[in-house]
Amino acid sequence: MVDLGRRNFMRAKQVTSAAPVRLPWVVEEAVFTAGCSQCGDCISACEENIIIKGDGGFPEVNFSLGECTFCQQCVVACEEPLFHSLETTPWQLEISIAASCITTKQVHCQICQDSCEPEAITFTYRHGSVPQPEISKADCTGCGACVAVCPESAIKLSTSSLGVNHE
């Protein structure tokens, strides 16, 4: 099993970034890194071209390149038993909007809301302020459509600290 933290330590690489977002429906991180052959079939199969070769050569999703349409092509292309049933929730990601959002600087922007098909991002008017974004975590699918369009890169999707929920 590959321990990416140890690998980075041996390279004297300080890791300050969050854990990578793996493919939808993927099994737990330890099982994934132990079983992934790093063949790149999932990268080639991705219709949205958002899967990249990440640290250690393992595939990860880069939402700054676009959104996940949950087309399932990455799962179909993979020959390894690394995925949960497609009948389950693809993943559980935590969404957050950083203080660098331009609405905090009194600039009117709602591009994230416009790109959010499940309407998980809405804007609330507040006295003396431009509308501020609010996220309905229950409605967020984790598709990442809001990430790439944000002019300040203020929206982040990260692996849930609660773990993956495969209902």
Side-chain angles (χ1 to χ4, degrees):
M1 177 168 76
V2 176
D3 183 348
L4 296 178
R6 184 178 175 137
R7 174 179 285 177
N8 290 329
F9 173 75
M10 297 304 287
R11 291 181 184 164
K13 181 178 178 184
Q14 185 173 6
V15 179
T16 56
S17 60
V21 175
R22 298 295 180 203
L23 313 180
W25 295 286
V26 78
V27 295
E28 291 70 31
E29 181 74 9
V31 175
F32 175 76
T33 55
C36 177
S37 66
Q38 304 171 6
C39 66
D41 288 348
C42 58
I43 296 171
S44 301
C46 181
E47 295 177 353
E48 300 301 322
N49 298 312
I50 61 169
I51 302 175
I52 61 168
K53 191 168 281 248
D55 193 25
F58 294 102
E60 60 186 66
V61 175
N62 183 341
F63 288 116
S64 67
L65 300 174
E67 69 180 289
C68 179
T69 59
F70 304 107
C71 68
Q72 304 173 354
Q73 293 306 306
C74 56
V75 177
V76 172
C78 183
E79 294 184 16
E80 307 296 335
L82 300 176
F83 297 91
H84 293 285
S85 165
L86 297 177
E87 302 300 317
T88 62
T89 303
W91 51 36
Q92 186 170 349
L93 301 175
E94 290 291 323
I95 184 171
S96 61
I97 300 178
S100 60
C101 174
I102 61 176
T103 62
T104 63
K105 300 172 185 123
Q106 299 304 309
V107 177
H108 184 63
C109 177
Q110 294 184 350
I111 195 166
C112 57
Q113 175 182 292
D114 296 341
S115 68
C116 184
E117 192 173 310
E119 299 179 358
I121 302 174
T122 57
F123 280 76
T124 303
Y125 287 89
R126 296 190 181 145
H127 182 68
S129 174
V130 299
Q132 298 297 306
E134 291 188 6
I135 301 168
S136 168
K137 294 185 180 192
D139 293 329
C140 180
T141 63
C143 71
C146 56
V147 175
V149 298
C150 180
E152 291 293 314
S153 300
I155 303 175
K156 302 289 183 228
L157 280 168
S158 57
T159 305
S160 171
S161 60
L162 302 173
V164 178
N165 181 18
H166 294 284
E167 299 170 344

